[in-house]
Amino acid sequence: MFLSYFDEPGDTGFTDSPSTCFVLAGVLVDEGDWLPLIDEMARFRGFLRDTFRIRFSDELKATNLVKCRGPFEHLAPAVAMRVYAMCLKFQAKCGKLRTFAIVIDKEKVLADHKDVRDIAWTYAIQRIERICTKGDGRTPPMKGFAMILPDEGHGDFLKRKIRRHRRHHLVPSGHEDGELLERPARNIIEDPFDRRSHESYFVQLADLNAFAAHRHVAPLKRFGPGMWDLLGDARIEQVNEITRARGGPQGP
């Protein structure tokens, strides 16, 4: 079994929204690696405390880190970006977690009058279920059953959605246009367990990864597309092979 931590920074709005994209990112941890990874995270956070005066209790929130505000106001912009890069590189080096992200252009969704959050979570559930059955591409693979642990605030929306997908869910065929396949999410167990982001290092990593994925598609002057690449082998590349080929929602 593996644990899937998710965060969806930003908002789902279309009018006067600060972002043209909606992003959802997941960080996956195998049950057997959970405690060793917590230990590694603690050592990494100790390094951040000793080197950059970032306390264990300071939430690594992407927008605060990039803008040098809140617990990061004492950092110079270049130093803050160095810390951000270290957080991404840590995930690649530790070798114990996997990550993926879904980036949806809200303007395209608006044209179809669709719910951007519902679309993002639909793709996330499909990807988790596929990893459960097909594995994550590593040897040995991360597969089996999964639990979903999102940032708090999703409430009944996500619980109802996962319960519905568990019983009945159709997905477009990756090979035959117009064909729908029955693919219920039978390997996602229990209802989702909300986690407060300031209490979960893994949700904080998902937040950092989501912002990096967003800027991989829509880069800023101070935050280029290459930051996402610092995640290296921690990324699950194959989760987007079919949707990329079919022109679906982007996933770095």
Side-chain angles (χ1 to χ4, degrees), residues 16 48 55 75 116 210:
D16 297 325
L48 294 183
R55 299 169 298 180
L75 299 178
V116 66

Side-chain angles (χ1 to χ4, degrees), residues 4 13 15 22-23 31-32 40 51 68 108 175 192 194 199 209 232 236-237 240 242 246:
S4 309
T15 304
F22 181 81
V23 188
E31 60 175 341
E40 288 193 45
T51 309
C68 299
K108 294 181 180 178
H175 308 287
D194 285 11
E199 296 178 347
N209 295 354
I236 307 176
E237 299 283 1
N240 297 301
I242 293 177
R246 296 174 63 90

Side-chain angles (χ1 to χ4, degrees), residues 19-222:
S19 173
T20 60
C21 296
F22 181 81
V23 188
L24 177 64
V27 168
L28 282 51
V29 183
D30 187 89
E31 60 175 341
D33 289 330
W34 188 87
L35 187 55
L37 189 50
I38 286 290
D39 294 338
E40 288 193 45
M41 284 290 300
R43 289 191 290 271
F44 177 64
R45 291 302 298 256
F47 167 77
L48 294 183
R49 177 199 59 196
D50 298 340
T51 309
F52 302 102
R53 292 187 292 132
I54 299 174
R55 299 169 298 180
F56 280 86
S57 59
D58 291 337
E59 180 180 355
L60 286 171
K61 190 171 181 61
T63 53
N64 288 343
L65 185 57
V66 171
K67 296 180 180 180
C68 299
R69 65 187 184 191
F72 313 112
E73 61 182 6
H74 64 285
L75 299 178
V79 175
M81 293 305 297
R82 181 184 170 198
V83 171
Y84 204 126
M86 287 180 176
C87 292
L88 301 182
K89 290 178 179 178
F90 165 80
Q91 298 176 65
K93 290 179 180 178
C94 74
K96 292 185 176 67
L97 59 79
R98 307 303 308 276
T99 188
F100 69 90
I102 298 162
V103 183
I104 299 178
D105 186 334
K106 290 196 287 188
E107 292 184 359
K108 294 181 180 178
V109 174
L110 177 62
D112 293 332
H113 305 287
K114 294 181 179 179
D115 183 338
V116 66
R117 171 178 286 166
D118 186 71
I119 295 172
W121 276 107
T122 293
Y123 276 88
I125 293 169
Q126 291 172 358
R127 282 153 174 72
I128 292 296
E129 179 64 19
R130 184 171 179 83
I131 292 169
C132 287
T133 57
K134 301 294 185 181
D136 65 338
R138 284 186 175 175
T139 304
M142 179 187 290
K143 61 188 303 187
F145 294 96
M147 295 182 66
I148 292 183
L149 299 94
D151 188 15
E152 66 177 343
H154 301 278
D156 289 340
F157 159 76
L158 191 52
K159 179 175 68 176
R160 290 194 304 268
K161 188 169 185 62
I162 290 177
R163 286 183 176 184
R164 184 170 66 250
H165 279 242
R166 189 177 290 136
R167 298 301 176 187
H168 176 70
H169 181 57
L170 296 174
V171 300
S173 170
H175 308 287
E176 297 292 337
D177 290 338
E179 181 181 2
L180 294 177
L181 305 176
E182 181 68 29
R183 292 291 185 268
R186 302 307 296 269
N187 293 287
I188 298 176
I189 62 175
E190 257 293 356
D191 291 331
F193 290 94
D194 285 11
R195 296 302 315 275
R196 296 177 178 177
S197 57
H198 67 276
E199 296 178 347
S200 172
Y201 288 154
F202 298 120
V203 173
Q204 291 174 38
L205 291 181
D207 177 85
L208 296 175
N209 295 354
F211 191 88
H214 182 191
R215 296 311 169 192
H216 183 74
V217 175
L220 298 173
K221 183 176 181 180
R222 283 188 52 218

